[in-house]
Amino acid sequence: MSIATTDTPKSEIKSGTKPETKSETKFDAEAFAMNVARAMESGGKALAAYLKPRETGEVQDRPPAELAEVVKTFTSVAEYWLSDQSRSSDLQTKLAKDYLDLWGSAARRMAGQDAQPAIAPSPRDKRFADPEWKSNQFFDFMMQLYLLTTKWAQELVHDAELDPQTRRKAEFYVQQITNAISPSNFVLTNPEVLRETVASSGENLARGLTMLAEDIAAGKGMLKIRQSNPDNLVVGVNMATTPGKVIYQNEMMQLIQYSPTTEKVLRTPLLIVPPWINKFYILDLKPEKSYIKWCVDQGITVFVISWVNPDRRLGAKSWEDYMKEGPLTAMDVIEKVTGEMKVHTAGYCVGGTMLATTLAWLAEKRRQRVSSATFFAAQVDFTHAGDLLVFVDEDQIAALEQDMKASGVLEGSKMAMAFNMLRSNDLIWSYVVSNYLKGQQPSAFDLLHWNSDATRMTQANHSYYLRNCYLENRLSTGTMVLDNTLLDLSKVKVPVYNLATREDHIAPAESVLYGSQFFGGPVKYVLSGSGHIAGVVNPPASNKYQYWTNDNINDVNVAQWMKGAVEHKGSWWPDWREWLGSLDPEEVPARSVGTEALPPIEDAPGSYVRVRA
């Protein structure tokens, strides 16, 4: 999946907000009173924005299905500890000892003595980077109290005897709760926010509550946290600007062909299958970040699927429909435009999973339509699928299917929130503090603007994906049935370039490596630095990160694979282009966009991509 996505480097996320500026303005009691009044007025507007859709019936509040899972999971943890009196006593004694150690350390500091902290934050924890968390005894005490409690709660789950799925859910829920109650998330216990409040006489709170009201209104009664400023971030104007045309469209997708920039191009064109959870322009952000533009400049005829943002009318569209009306139809159109029966293919995240099922279907039908397959952070086996498995079991899928029946789709905002929760400190709470407590407007950041541009998913397609891939893992085991056809990845003989990213929370590197063994042809596994997005969208000109290669992919995990891997500085893009050229180096004169039979419909990026959820 994508969205999250979910993996923006912390340095880049940090740059998504305007830097603080120290104000020399002295505290003004009258101005403070005025700003508090403004904040209360905005708070009233926020409450009104929350209540209005509920009064009109647009939103019907009911306990979320996830709440039952949280209660059931924590009940299992509690039963383990409370079922044995000595075990429960030991647990309480340990927490009490930690608190007494903290109190003793704090008392010694108050008496002017040197005292080692009872616990210290991780150097990578940006929440407590401000020096006052350690220099000020009050904030230091609050921080240590929080860290000790968090450590105790995590050990509560870690040391309990639970089945793997219950443990996974308990660890995830504990992390969400402890992230939410961090003292950095509250005005009176965050030194940075307090300084800003005093320096600006509370103007930060007035600005923040105004943004909170706007964000609840934008979310139609639900909080839609802004992660970027939309100014100067317009699809087709500032992003997704690589020249091209929509040459074909149906209910499910528009097919874009990009205009050549070289005199000659590879004979075999490239078809890119992006995910439908977010929009294709992650591969065509600003020109200097655009993978699509780079491919065009490398002499490749590029075609990209732009998926529809579906509504209730399309709710019955299934995985089979996406395959037939997506990549299979695109291949037919490309043949008509270029005369080439075979294409290079690339699939990103769930688009890669779709591509893999398409390749297996073609192999079973003995149709030779593909010369190679490239996968960007995509899974075909879900044994090691990571934190997203928290949301996948029979009860949760059944509850989700029941919710989707009413509208025929899964709202993109729900999936976006799930991805954001995988890194809630970076993608939720840092923005709560920055936006609503410090009153800082996020800067214009294309990657996070894309991240918030989620799409809906049809009920039938999403249900099939969750059950056949995450829950039952049918694709790699050879038991997936699609279009009355049993799929077998071992019959996929085309060369595969399988890219994983080292810090991926959505398609873990371990999962991608393990999935490499199921293809029947040669597989080149490549591991890129960074995560699900930045590890893929890493243009050579940026000279960032690195990638590793190692031909040995059999019976090894990532740690073992890394021991024999060769590190290469910079982007993996040139390595992929060299690999692609080695498969079929023949060139032909650059092709014009479309044909007389398939004239351009509209300019890229097309109209489907502009429909917001």
Side-chain angles (χ1 to χ4, degrees):
M1 299 185 189
S2 72
I3 200 153
T5 198
T6 16
D7 69 307
T8 310
K10 290 185 180 179
S11 60
E12 293 192 37
I13 289 175
K14 204 67 178 174
S15 69
T17 57
K18 295 180 179 178
E20 287 187 73
T21 56
K22 292 185 178 180
S23 173
E24 297 182 359
T25 304
K26 293 183 179 180
F27 182 78
D28 185 330
E30 184 177 350
F32 181 76
M34 291 292 294
N35 284 324
V36 169
R38 287 172 54 206
M40 292 179 65
E41 181 183 2
S42 294
K45 291 179 179 178
L47 180 60
Y50 173 81
L51 293 175
K52 183 178 178 181
R54 289 160 175 80
E55 293 170 349
T56 60
E58 295 176 57
V59 174
Q60 295 182 351
D61 277 334
R62 59 180 184 272
E66 293 82 5
L67 181 60
E69 287 299 317
V70 173
V71 172
K72 184 171 69 174
T73 300
F74 284 153
T75 298
S76 297
V77 177
E79 285 176 350
Y80 171 79
W81 290 106
L82 297 178
S83 62
D84 186 299
Q85 187 173 356
S86 62
R87 185 188 295 158
S88 175
S89 177
D90 290 345
L91 185 69
Q92 296 175 57
T93 300
K94 185 178 187 308
L95 181 61
K97 180 182 181 302
D98 286 342
Y99 283 170
L100 284 173
D101 289 344
L102 172 60
W103 181 254
S105 173
R108 287 192 295 274
R109 281 196 65 184
M110 291 176 67
Q113 302 176 22
D114 289 335
Q116 290 296 319
I119 191 171
S122 165
R124 300 182 64 184
D125 194 337
K126 303 300 183 183
R127 296 174 298 175
F128 305 112
D130 188 273
E132 203 167 351
W133 283 110
K134 296 180 181 178
S135 64
N136 184 295
Q137 292 188 33
F138 170 75
F139 294 122
D140 183 48
F141 182 85
M142 292 300 298
M143 176 185 70
Q144 291 190 60
L145 181 65
Y146 165 73
L147 292 175
L148 285 173
T149 306
T150 297
K151 178 173 175 285
W152 176 81
Q154 291 170 340
E155 290 175 349
L156 195 71
V157 174
H158 182 270
D159 296 340
E161 294 179 3
L162 306 167
D163 65 84
Q165 177 65 357
T166 300
R167 181 184 302 281
R168 183 184 291 117
K169 289 193 289 187
E171 289 174 343
F172 181 79
Y173 297 147
V174 163
Q175 190 66 56
Q176 299 311 310
I177 293 170
T178 55
N179 286 350
I181 65 173
S182 169
S184 60
N185 296 336
F186 302 93
V187 175
L188 297 179
T189 52
N190 185 323
E192 294 177 85
V193 175
L194 269 180
R195 285 199 306 270
E196 180 67 24
T197 302
V198 172
S200 68
S201 299
E203 187 177 351
N204 58 307
L205 300 180
R207 293 194 307 266
L209 268 291
T210 297
M211 280 196 282
L212 177 64
E214 292 171 352
D215 290 352
I216 293 176
K220 298 179 180 179
M222 305 297 290
L223 178 59
K224 184 178 181 181
I225 300 174
R226 69 182 79 182
Q227 295 177 324
S228 68
N229 188 336
D231 294 347
N232 300 319
L233 291 176
V234 180
V235 173
V237 178
N238 314 103
M239 303 179 296
T241 58
T242 302
K245 303 285 185 182
V246 174
I247 62 168
Y248 175 85
Q249 68 181 39
N250 57 28
E251 282 190 316
M252 299 309 300
M253 62 97 176
Q254 288 187 319
L255 184 65
I256 301 170
Q257 180 183 359
Y258 289 91
S259 304
T261 58
T262 56
E263 291 185 3
K264 289 186 175 296
V265 295
L266 288 180
R267 179 176 64 85
T268 305
L270 171 67
L271 170 63
I272 298 176
V273 184
W276 48 81
I277 293 173
N278 279 92
K279 297 176 179 176
F280 83 89
Y281 67 88
I282 186 59
L283 296 174
D284 189 27
L285 292 169
K286 294 179 180 179
E288 59 270 21
K289 291 183 179 179
S290 174
Y291 171 78
I292 290 172
K293 181 180 184 302
W294 185 85
C295 286
V296 172
D297 291 342
Q298 292 294 309
I300 301 172
T301 305
V302 179
F303 295 84
V304 175
I305 289 174
S306 175
W307 296 106
V308 72
N309 194 348
D311 54 21
R312 179 195 299 271
R313 180 177 58 86
L314 298 172
K317 290 290 186 178
S318 65
W319 189 274
E320 178 184 329
D321 294 321
Y322 269 74
M323 178 185 74
K324 289 184 174 180
E325 298 180 46
L328 288 179
T329 294
M331 291 175 192
D332 291 338
V333 174
I334 292 170
E335 182 180 359
K336 292 176 182 176
V337 171
T338 66
E340 297 297 328
M341 188 176 71
K342 298 176 73 173
V343 296
H344 294 301
T345 57
Y348 197 163
C349 192
V350 69
T353 308
M354 166 61 69
L355 175 59
T357 60
T358 304
L359 295 175
W361 184 89
L362 287 169
E364 195 64 40
K365 300 294 185 181
R366 298 186 180 181
R367 298 183 186 179
Q368 297 184 359
R369 303 303 309 272
V370 176
S371 294
S372 74
T374 298
F375 297 100
F376 305 147
Q379 299 176 96
V380 297
D381 179 272
F382 293 78
T383 305
H384 306 289
D387 289 342
L388 283 174
L389 288 172
V390 167
F391 303 106
V392 181
D393 55 41
E394 179 57 42
D395 290 343
Q396 292 187 85
I397 292 178
L400 180 62
E401 288 172 335
Q402 188 65 34
D403 286 344
M404 290 192 294
K405 280 184 180 179
S407 61
V409 296
L410 176 68
E411 290 297 332
S413 58
K414 293 186 178 181
M415 184 60 75
M417 179 55 71
F419 284 126
N420 286 341
M421 287 174 67
L422 298 181
R423 297 179 60 201
S424 58
N425 278 335
D426 291 334
L427 296 175
I428 297 177
W429 296 112
S430 66
Y431 289 98
V432 168
V433 173
S434 177
N435 295 359
Y436 310 134
L437 302 187
K438 295 181 181 179
Q440 296 175 351
Q441 176 76 248
S443 63
F445 188 20
D446 54 1
L447 193 54
L448 288 176
H449 181 82
W450 167 86
N451 189 57
S452 64
D453 192 8
T455 65
R456 296 176 288 268
M457 283 156 279
T458 68
Q459 172 192 348
N461 184 40
H462 196 54
S463 176
Y464 183 93
Y465 176 52
L466 292 178
R467 288 192 173 278
N468 283 268
C469 294
Y470 275 92
L471 186 62
E472 298 165 355
N473 201 19
R474 289 184 174 276
L475 180 56
S476 62
T477 57
T479 58
M480 179 182 280
V481 176
L482 188 62
D483 185 33
N484 297 316
T485 304
L486 189 64
L487 304 185
D488 184 353
L489 285 178
S490 68
K491 295 182 179 180
V492 177
K493 305 294 185 182
V494 300
V496 168
Y497 190 101
N498 204 12
L499 179 79
T501 59
R502 195 174 189 182
E503 300 169 16
D504 202 328
H505 296 270
I506 297 170
E510 199 75 64
S511 181
V512 178
L513 174 60
Y514 186 65
S516 298
Q517 67 179 294
F518 295 100
F519 295 101
V523 177
K524 180 175 183 177
Y525 176 80
V526 177
L527 182 64
S528 171
S530 196
H532 192 72
I533 303 300
V536 175
V537 184
N538 182 27
S542 297
N543 197 29
K544 294 174 66 176
Y545 313 124
Q546 69 279 84
Y547 66 96
W548 292 265
T549 57
N550 181 355
D551 292 338
N552 179 25
I553 61 171
N554 296 317
D555 300 320
V556 292
N557 58 32
V558 170
Q560 295 165 334
W561 183 88
M562 283 292 292
K563 291 179 180 178
V566 177
E567 181 178 347
H568 310 270
K569 298 296 183 183
S571 172
W572 58 270
W573 293 7
D575 179 73
W576 170 80
R577 177 62 179 84
E578 183 179 347
W579 174 84
L580 197 71
S582 70
L583 301 177
D584 185 7
E586 184 181 347
E587 295 184 334
V588 297
R591 305 172 172 104
S592 58
V593 176
T595 64
E596 187 175 338
L598 287 166
I601 298 172
E602 60 180 322
D603 290 337
S607 54
Y608 283 16
V609 74
R610 301 177 195 272
V611 178
R612 296 184 67 88

